[in-house]
Structure formats: C-alpha cells, structure tokens
Amino acid sequence: MLLLHGGHEYGTSAPGPWNLPAVRMLPFERAARRATAEHAVLIGRVRYRCRGWNGERADAARDAEAALSELAEIAGDLPTVLVGHSMGARAALRAGGAPGVRGVVGLAPWCPPEDPVRHLDGRRVVLLHGDRDRVTDPQASVDFCARARTAGAHASFVEVRGSGHAMLRRAAAWHGLTARAVTGLLGLTPLSSRFSGEGCLPAPP
C-alpha cells in the first residue's frame, strides 16, 4: 500500500519537514496498519520532489510512478493499492494503470474532466468524497467514476455526508471506509458491495 498526500495546483518548492497534507494522512496509515496487522502488508508513503502538480509536468504523478518502480525493486512483484488525498488522489489515479496496481482509493480526489481513464481498464477504483467539500468537486468524482467505468474500470463512488475536504468531520467514517477498501482490494477481506464497482451515484456510508 502506498499513501499519497495532497498538494497544490502549482508549486515547485520542496515540501518542508512540517507538511500538513502529509500529516493528514497519518490517521489513514494507522487505520490501515490496524486493519492489516495479521497480514504481511508493506505500507509506504510517496515523497514528492515539489509541492505542486504543475500543469503538464504532472510532478506528483511522476513521483507516484517512480515510487512504484522503487517498490518493485525493493519488494518484487506485489499487488499494490494506492491511497491518495486530493492532488495525491489525482496522482494515484494517473499511476493506477502501472503493473502490479490492484486498485486505487481516492479521498476527496481532484478529478479534472480532461484526465485520462483508459489506463484504468480492469482496475478497481474507489472514490470517497464529502458532500461539503469546497476545494475539490464531488460531482467531478462522480463524473470521473462514470468515465472510468465506461473505460472498463470497476469504479465506485461513496459520499461521506456532512464532511469536507480536510476529512475532519466524520473522520472515523473516512478512516474505516478507507481501511475496508484497502483490505478488500488486497483480497484480505471480502470486498464490500459499496466498493464493488456497481455504480457511481452517491451512496452514503
């Protein structure tokens, strides 16, 4: 499992030691560790070279792909789930077609309508989005889910009602849904029907 934190639309400076978007992912890491404690699961974090996506450079996506290559060198051919928030979710979705990627879990993802989906054919994609998000658009996640399904992905959308982009309200729901998605995508537990890729309409947890 690889975690990808959020970032900015533009920014070429390196993330500092006190990186709030990275800190925001720590509870998700802890939830995943608890959920996989009885299994041999390797959990890592993608480190970005700079803070932003930066247009066509797509720096975060390039870093995600580099992390997957490094993981393969270290641990061999392992089934992998990418879990990303906001810009990190966009990077995870962009890298989701790489060899070994079993699925992608996008948290409040940034899903521009021009982003590709064909590479997700055959992959499982779970998008979680708060209905009070004012930073990234929940409807854009629904639209991306529908496009990915048309391209052959097993994509699903789950609405977290009453929560926004920072995932602070209803935090336990975010952490629990993510942990269950990860264990299901890795085949450690039965995959919940809400993550089965049967639809992209809002379905509250």
Side-chain angles (χ1 to χ4, degrees):
M1 170 184 169
L2 286 179
L3 291 152
L4 299 93
H5 65 75
H8 301 282
E9 184 172 1
Y10 296 99
T12 55
S13 62
W18 299 105
N19 184 4
L20 179 59
V23 171
R24 187 173 285 131
M25 297 302 290
L26 294 180
F28 291 91
E29 180 179 346
R30 289 194 291 268
R33 289 191 184 280
R34 287 193 299 268
T36 61
E38 297 181 0
H39 305 274
V41 175
L42 178 64
I43 299 178
R45 307 172 197 160
V46 175
R47 297 185 65 178
Y48 303 135
R49 291 166 295 118
C50 53
R51 294 177 181 272
W53 182 267
N54 299 317
E56 293 183 358
R57 284 175 43 166
D59 285 315
R62 292 170 56 194
D63 291 342
E65 293 165 353
L68 285 167
S69 297
E70 183 178 347
L71 177 64
E73 292 177 2
I74 294 172
D77 185 17
L78 292 177
T80 305
V81 171
L82 304 175
V83 178
H85 173 238
S86 192
M87 182 192 76
R90 186 182 185 186
L93 291 166
R94 185 69 67 91
V101 175
R102 181 76 59 84
V104 177
V105 181
L107 312 173
W110 175 20
C111 295
E114 69 272 14
D115 275 10
V117 293
R118 290 184 180 179
H119 63 292
L120 296 171
D121 181 15
R123 300 298 199 274
R124 291 199 176 273
V125 175
V126 177
L127 303 182
L128 311 179
H129 217 132
D131 64 342
R132 296 186 182 181
D133 197 324
R134 300 296 180 265
V135 178
T136 55
D137 184 7
Q139 183 59 47
S141 289
V142 174
D143 295 343
F144 186 96
C145 176
R147 291 197 300 119
R149 283 177 56 80
T150 299
H154 306 283
S156 58
F157 173 88
V158 176
E159 182 180 73
V160 184
R161 290 187 177 174
S163 189
H165 193 70
M167 307 177 294
L168 297 176
R169 290 188 177 182
R170 302 202 64 202
W174 284 98
H175 304 156
L177 285 165
T178 301
R180 290 195 294 276
V182 168
T183 58
L185 293 176
L186 288 175
L188 305 178
T189 60
L191 186 67
S192 169
S193 60
R194 68 183 56 175
F195 307 140
S196 64
E198 295 300 323
C200 298
L201 295 177

